[in-house]
Amino acid sequence: MAKDYNTFSDVSTGDVYTAAAHNLILENVENYRVPPMCRVKQTSGASIGDASNIILAFDAEDFDTDGMHDNATNNSRITINTAGVYLVIASVRYTAGVSDDTRISILKNGGNVGIDERGPNNSRSGQQVMGYYDLAAADYLEAQVYQNNSANTARTIDTPYTFLSAAWIGQAS
């Protein structure tokens, strides 16, 4: 459910402060106190085949203050309900080191908007990508990963460090 951020008109001396105006202010204060944000994770690690792209599915939530994720339907997605600027972070970690190419991408409505790539001789087992994005209601975000190793074997995701999150920063200007 989208949160409303109300705008107020200028007041003049002698204007009456009404209960309705007070309630609008309280609604804004509450929405800024608990802004739209969501962090989703996996409870069991997915297997990423060699030389393949996969969109990660997330079956659990650390938090979701705006109904942005469903653990069963389209569970690869965080869907924006409240428009604005969001800080988006996608993170992946493999249970075993990856020896060659790896990539993690943030997808917005199916298109790539953020990417972190590691080339040959990559000894790191994890990576993150993040950015600020101006998002409209109904936009959706996903995390896509890729790995390619010289042993031509699948890699397994390490669940505590694999997540996708979106946190509302403010209204777009």
Side-chain angles (χ1 to χ4, degrees), residues 57-87:
F58 300 98
D59 61 350
E61 301 164 354
D62 286 324
F63 50 84
D64 183 357
T65 66
D66 200 23
M68 301 163 72
H69 182 258
D70 188 307
N71 287 328
T73 304
N74 290 326
N75 68 348
S76 65
R77 297 178 177 184
I78 290 178
T79 302
I80 301 303
N81 292 316
T82 303
V85 175
Y86 284 78
L87 173 60

Short mmCIF file of all heavy atoms in Angstrom, two decimals, residues 57-87:
data_model
loop_
_atom_site.label_atom_id
_atom_site.label_comp_id
_atom_site.label_asym_id
_atom_site.label_seq_id
_atom_site.Cartn_x
_atom_site.Cartn_y
_atom_site.Cartn_z
N ALA A 57 15.56 -15.49 -6.71
CA ALA A 57 14.26 -15.51 -6.03
C ALA A 57 14.52 -15.37 -4.54
O ALA A 57 15.51 -15.88 -4.01
CB ALA A 57 13.53 -16.81 -6.33
N PHE A 58 13.62 -14.68 -3.85
CA PHE A 58 13.77 -14.44 -2.41
C PHE A 58 12.50 -14.91 -1.71
O PHE A 58 11.41 -14.44 -2.02
CB PHE A 58 14.00 -12.95 -2.16
CG PHE A 58 15.25 -12.43 -2.83
CD1 PHE A 58 15.17 -11.76 -4.03
CD2 PHE A 58 16.49 -12.64 -2.27
CE1 PHE A 58 16.31 -11.29 -4.67
CE2 PHE A 58 17.64 -12.18 -2.89
CZ PHE A 58 17.55 -11.50 -4.10
N ASP A 59 12.66 -15.81 -0.75
CA ASP A 59 11.51 -16.41 -0.09
C ASP A 59 11.32 -15.95 1.36
O ASP A 59 10.52 -16.52 2.10
CB ASP A 59 11.59 -17.94 -0.15
CG ASP A 59 12.82 -18.49 0.53
OD1 ASP A 59 13.72 -17.70 0.89
OD2 ASP A 59 12.88 -19.72 0.71
N ALA A 60 12.05 -14.92 1.76
CA ALA A 60 11.91 -14.40 3.13
C ALA A 60 12.23 -12.91 3.13
O ALA A 60 12.92 -12.40 2.25
CB ALA A 60 12.83 -15.15 4.08
N GLU A 61 11.73 -12.23 4.17
CA GLU A 61 11.93 -10.79 4.31
C GLU A 61 12.54 -10.50 5.66
O GLU A 61 12.13 -11.07 6.67
CB GLU A 61 10.59 -10.05 4.21
CG GLU A 61 9.86 -10.29 2.90
CD GLU A 61 8.39 -9.88 2.95
OE1 GLU A 61 7.89 -9.53 4.04
OE2 GLU A 61 7.75 -9.94 1.89
N ASP A 62 13.53 -9.60 5.68
CA ASP A 62 14.02 -9.07 6.95
C ASP A 62 13.05 -8.00 7.44
O ASP A 62 12.81 -7.87 8.64
CB ASP A 62 15.42 -8.49 6.81
CG ASP A 62 16.47 -9.58 6.67
OD1 ASP A 62 16.34 -10.63 7.33
OD2 ASP A 62 17.44 -9.38 5.92
N PHE A 63 12.52 -7.19 6.51
CA PHE A 63 11.49 -6.20 6.82
C PHE A 63 10.85 -5.75 5.51
O PHE A 63 11.45 -5.86 4.45
CB PHE A 63 12.05 -5.00 7.59
CG PHE A 63 13.28 -4.39 6.97
CD1 PHE A 63 13.18 -3.46 5.94
CD2 PHE A 63 14.55 -4.75 7.41
CE1 PHE A 63 14.32 -2.91 5.36
CE2 PHE A 63 15.69 -4.19 6.84
CZ PHE A 63 15.57 -3.27 5.82
N ASP A 64 9.63 -5.26 5.61
CA ASP A 64 8.89 -4.73 4.47
C ASP A 64 7.83 -3.80 5.02
O ASP A 64 6.81 -4.25 5.52
CB ASP A 64 8.27 -5.86 3.65
CG ASP A 64 7.54 -5.36 2.40
OD1 ASP A 64 7.47 -4.14 2.18
OD2 ASP A 64 7.04 -6.21 1.64
N THR A 65 8.07 -2.50 4.96
CA THR A 65 7.16 -1.53 5.58
C THR A 65 6.08 -1.00 4.65
O THR A 65 5.24 -0.21 5.08
CB THR A 65 7.95 -0.32 6.14
OG1 THR A 65 8.54 0.39 5.03
CG2 THR A 65 9.02 -0.76 7.11
N ASP A 66 6.10 -1.44 3.37
CA ASP A 66 5.16 -0.86 2.41
C ASP A 66 4.55 -1.91 1.47
O ASP A 66 4.14 -1.57 0.36
CB ASP A 66 5.87 0.24 1.60
CG ASP A 66 4.90 1.21 0.93
OD1 ASP A 66 3.75 1.35 1.39
OD2 ASP A 66 5.30 1.84 -0.08
N GLY A 67 4.53 -3.18 1.88
CA GLY A 67 3.94 -4.22 1.04
C GLY A 67 4.61 -4.35 -0.31
O GLY A 67 3.96 -4.53 -1.32
N MET A 68 5.94 -4.30 -0.33
CA MET A 68 6.70 -4.26 -1.58
C MET A 68 7.11 -5.64 -2.10
O MET A 68 7.55 -5.76 -3.24
CB MET A 68 7.97 -3.40 -1.37
CG MET A 68 7.65 -1.98 -0.94
SD MET A 68 9.06 -1.10 -0.23
CE MET A 68 10.05 -0.81 -1.66
N HIS A 69 6.97 -6.68 -1.29
CA HIS A 69 7.45 -8.01 -1.68
C HIS A 69 6.42 -9.06 -1.28
O HIS A 69 5.76 -8.95 -0.26
CB HIS A 69 8.79 -8.31 -0.99
CG HIS A 69 9.36 -9.63 -1.36
ND1 HIS A 69 9.28 -10.73 -0.53
CD2 HIS A 69 10.01 -10.05 -2.47
CE1 HIS A 69 9.87 -11.75 -1.11
NE2 HIS A 69 10.32 -11.37 -2.29
N ASP A 70 6.30 -10.08 -2.10
CA ASP A 70 5.45 -11.25 -1.82
C ASP A 70 6.35 -12.47 -1.87
O ASP A 70 7.03 -12.70 -2.87
CB ASP A 70 4.33 -11.34 -2.85
CG ASP A 70 3.31 -12.40 -2.51
OD1 ASP A 70 3.71 -13.56 -2.28
OD2 ASP A 70 2.11 -12.09 -2.50
N ASN A 71 6.36 -13.26 -0.81
CA ASN A 71 7.24 -14.43 -0.73
C ASN A 71 6.87 -15.54 -1.71
O ASN A 71 7.67 -16.44 -1.95
CB ASN A 71 7.27 -14.99 0.68
CG ASN A 71 8.05 -14.11 1.63
OD1 ASN A 71 9.01 -13.45 1.25
ND2 ASN A 71 7.63 -14.07 2.88
N ALA A 72 5.67 -15.51 -2.28
CA ALA A 72 5.22 -16.57 -3.18
C ALA A 72 5.06 -16.11 -4.63
O ALA A 72 5.50 -16.77 -5.55
CB ALA A 72 3.91 -17.16 -2.67
N THR A 73 4.41 -14.96 -4.84
CA THR A 73 4.12 -14.47 -6.19
C THR A 73 5.18 -13.47 -6.62
O THR A 73 5.43 -12.50 -5.92
CB THR A 73 2.73 -13.81 -6.24
OG1 THR A 73 1.77 -14.75 -5.78
CG2 THR A 73 2.38 -13.37 -7.64
N ASN A 74 5.81 -13.69 -7.76
CA ASN A 74 6.89 -12.81 -8.25
C ASN A 74 7.92 -12.54 -7.15
O ASN A 74 8.32 -11.40 -6.91
CB ASN A 74 6.33 -11.49 -8.78
CG ASN A 74 5.56 -11.66 -10.06
OD1 ASN A 74 5.89 -12.49 -10.89
ND2 ASN A 74 4.52 -10.86 -10.24
N ASN A 75 8.36 -13.62 -6.49
CA ASN A 75 9.22 -13.43 -5.32
C ASN A 75 10.65 -13.01 -5.66
O ASN A 75 11.47 -12.85 -4.77
CB ASN A 75 9.21 -14.66 -4.41
CG ASN A 75 9.87 -15.86 -5.04
OD1 ASN A 75 10.16 -15.90 -6.23
ND2 ASN A 75 10.09 -16.87 -4.23
N SER A 76 10.93 -12.80 -6.92
CA SER A 76 12.23 -12.23 -7.31
C SER A 76 12.17 -10.70 -7.25
O SER A 76 13.21 -10.05 -7.35
CB SER A 76 12.60 -12.66 -8.73
OG SER A 76 11.68 -12.13 -9.67
N ARG A 77 10.98 -10.14 -7.05
CA ARG A 77 10.78 -8.70 -7.20
C ARG A 77 10.54 -7.95 -5.90
O ARG A 77 9.87 -8.45 -5.00
CB ARG A 77 9.56 -8.42 -8.09
CG ARG A 77 9.71 -8.93 -9.49
CD ARG A 77 8.45 -8.67 -10.28
NE ARG A 77 8.61 -9.11 -11.67
CZ ARG A 77 7.71 -8.94 -12.60
NH1 ARG A 77 6.56 -8.34 -12.31
NH2 ARG A 77 7.94 -9.37 -13.82
N ILE A 78 11.05 -6.73 -5.86
CA ILE A 78 10.58 -5.70 -4.94
C ILE A 78 9.82 -4.73 -5.83
O ILE A 78 10.38 -4.18 -6.78
CB ILE A 78 11.74 -5.00 -4.22
CG1 ILE A 78 12.40 -5.94 -3.22
CG2 ILE A 78 11.25 -3.73 -3.54
CD1 ILE A 78 13.60 -5.33 -2.50
N THR A 79 8.53 -4.55 -5.56
CA THR A 79 7.68 -3.67 -6.36
C THR A 79 7.42 -2.38 -5.59
O THR A 79 6.98 -2.43 -4.44
CB THR A 79 6.37 -4.37 -6.73
OG1 THR A 79 6.67 -5.57 -7.44
CG2 THR A 79 5.50 -3.48 -7.60
N ILE A 80 7.67 -1.26 -6.22
CA ILE A 80 7.53 0.04 -5.58
C ILE A 80 6.06 0.43 -5.50
O ILE A 80 5.34 0.37 -6.51
CB ILE A 80 8.32 1.11 -6.37
CG1 ILE A 80 9.81 0.73 -6.43
CG2 ILE A 80 8.11 2.49 -5.79
CD1 ILE A 80 10.49 0.52 -5.11
N ASN A 81 5.62 0.81 -4.31
CA ASN A 81 4.26 1.30 -4.11
C ASN A 81 4.23 2.81 -3.92
O ASN A 81 3.24 3.46 -4.25
CB ASN A 81 3.61 0.62 -2.91
CG ASN A 81 3.35 -0.84 -3.17
OD1 ASN A 81 2.88 -1.21 -4.24
ND2 ASN A 81 3.68 -1.69 -2.22
N THR A 82 5.30 3.36 -3.35
CA THR A 82 5.39 4.79 -3.08
C THR A 82 6.51 5.37 -3.94
O THR A 82 7.67 4.99 -3.77
CB THR A 82 5.68 5.04 -1.59
OG1 THR A 82 4.65 4.42 -0.81
CG2 THR A 82 5.73 6.53 -1.29
N ALA A 83 6.16 6.26 -4.86
CA ALA A 83 7.16 6.85 -5.75
C ALA A 83 8.18 7.67 -4.97
O ALA A 83 7.88 8.19 -3.90
CB ALA A 83 6.47 7.72 -6.79
N GLY A 84 9.39 7.76 -5.52
CA GLY A 84 10.42 8.57 -4.89
C GLY A 84 11.80 8.08 -5.26
O GLY A 84 11.98 7.22 -6.12
N VAL A 85 12.80 8.61 -4.57
CA VAL A 85 14.18 8.21 -4.75
C VAL A 85 14.50 7.13 -3.72
O VAL A 85 14.20 7.29 -2.53
CB VAL A 85 15.14 9.41 -4.59
CG1 VAL A 85 16.59 8.97 -4.67
CG2 VAL A 85 14.82 10.47 -5.65
N TYR A 86 15.08 6.04 -4.19
CA TYR A 86 15.40 4.89 -3.33
C TYR A 86 16.88 4.57 -3.41
O TYR A 86 17.50 4.68 -4.47
CB TYR A 86 14.63 3.64 -3.79
CG TYR A 86 13.18 3.63 -3.40
CD1 TYR A 86 12.25 4.37 -4.11
CD2 TYR A 86 12.74 2.87 -2.33
CE1 TYR A 86 10.92 4.37 -3.77
CE2 TYR A 86 11.40 2.86 -1.98
CZ TYR A 86 10.49 3.60 -2.70
OH TYR A 86 9.17 3.59 -2.35
N LEU A 87 17.45 4.14 -2.28
CA LEU A 87 18.76 3.52 -2.27
C LEU A 87 18.51 2.02 -2.44
O LEU A 87 17.81 1.41 -1.63
CB LEU A 87 19.50 3.78 -0.96
CG LEU A 87 20.82 3.01 -0.79
CD1 LEU A 87 21.82 3.37 -1.89
CD2 LEU A 87 21.41 3.26 0.59
#
